[in-house]
Amino acid sequence: FSEEKIYAGETFTLTFTVRNTSNEEDTKSILLTMTNNAETGKLTPAEGSNTLYIDKLAKGESKTLSMSLATAPDTEAKAYEGTKTRPATLAKGASSASIPVTVLQKIRLKIDDPTVDGEAMEGESVPVYFSLYNMGRSPIYNCMVTVEGDGLSLEDSVFQGTVAAGNSMRADLSVITATPGQIDGEIVISYEDALEEKME
């Protein structure tokens, strides 16, 4: 694949090699058709048809071909096993090869600026809250919230779990300040995508 990560709604190129494994015969009029099984029916050629043609492959010869493909914007993020490049059934028969394709949905989060509720006193906790909106088409999983900064810590760990696509969450934190004066800190939100890749 031309891209290391394939995202729903985007175009990528599949490059593959066809080889005549025979030591005795040439092959002619090879028709290759990209098809999907029922589960992966949203993978389509981005331009042209889903068929490629090779006039001739001599015995032992190989040829590399490319096809531009696209996935529908609403394709579910997961690994698909059913994309196939398959010669049509002709006089000498046919064969097929399964090509796994992992499709991802881009994570789109909107996060409100955190609100500090009241004055922060040294050694005491102060309420801090914010809202997060999942504006993508895929859930985020194992969502956790921590704070980073000189002398900052949380009174309790904050685990938000799963935030479904199109949903929001509100995080209420009790932040403890250990040093006086102005403190610059960050709220860190960590989560996993559908393929368990960790992000923050």
Side-chain angles (χ1 to χ4, degrees):
F1 297 111
S2 59
E3 308 297 327
E4 184 177 342
K5 293 183 178 180
I6 297 170
Y7 288 97
E10 295 188 353
T11 300
F12 61 97
T13 301
L14 169 67
T15 301
F16 57 95
T17 300
V18 180
R19 183 164 61 94
N20 179 2
T21 59
S22 173
N23 294 321
E24 301 173 356
E25 291 185 89
D26 297 343
T27 53
K28 299 179 181 179
S29 301
I30 304 164
L31 189 69
L32 298 110
T33 305
M34 192 284 294
T35 62
N36 294 296
N37 63 18
E39 184 187 19
T40 59
K42 294 183 179 181
L43 184 65
T44 57
E47 51 191 51
S49 74
N50 66 334
T51 301
L52 297 172
Y53 180 76
I54 300 174
D55 181 52
K56 178 182 176 181
L57 277 179
K59 55 186 178 182
E61 185 183 6
S62 63
K63 185 165 186 175
T64 299
L65 303 170
S66 294
M67 183 178 285
S68 182
L69 301 172
T71 56
D74 61 346
T75 304
E76 182 183 352
K78 65 178 183 177
Y80 293 95
E81 299 293 337
T83 308
K84 292 184 177 180
T85 307
R86 183 177 62 192
T89 303
L90 301 174
K92 292 285 186 177
S95 64
S96 64
S98 181
I99 303 171
V101 181
T102 299
V103 179
L104 301 171
Q105 278 284 350
K106 286 192 173 178
I107 302 294
R108 294 174 54 225
L109 303 180
K110 179 182 180 297
I111 302 166
D112 285 345
D113 290 336
T115 298
V116 180
D117 192 5
E119 292 187 347
M121 305 297 290
E122 180 184 355
E124 297 180 6
S125 64
V126 61
V128 177
Y129 58 88
F130 68 93
S131 292
L132 174 147
Y133 308 89
N134 184 355
M135 301 174 70
R137 294 175 182 259
S138 183
I140 60 172
Y141 303 91
N142 295 324
C143 186
M144 294 196 69
V145 182
T146 57
V147 293
E148 293 181 355
D150 185 24
L152 296 180
S153 62
L154 287 181
E155 195 171 88
D156 295 299
S157 298
V158 179
F159 178 70
Q160 297 289 334
T162 299
V163 182
N167 282 20
S168 63
M169 73 163 204
R170 174 176 158 133
D172 291 286
L173 317 176
S174 292
V175 179
I176 299 173
T177 58
T179 57
Q182 180 172 320
I183 300 172
D184 293 320
E186 291 184 339
I187 291 176
V188 180
I189 303 156
S190 61
Y191 54 90
E192 296 175 0
D193 65 9
L195 301 180
E196 299 184 357
E197 182 177 349
K198 294 184 178 179
M199 307 176 188
E200 65 176 40

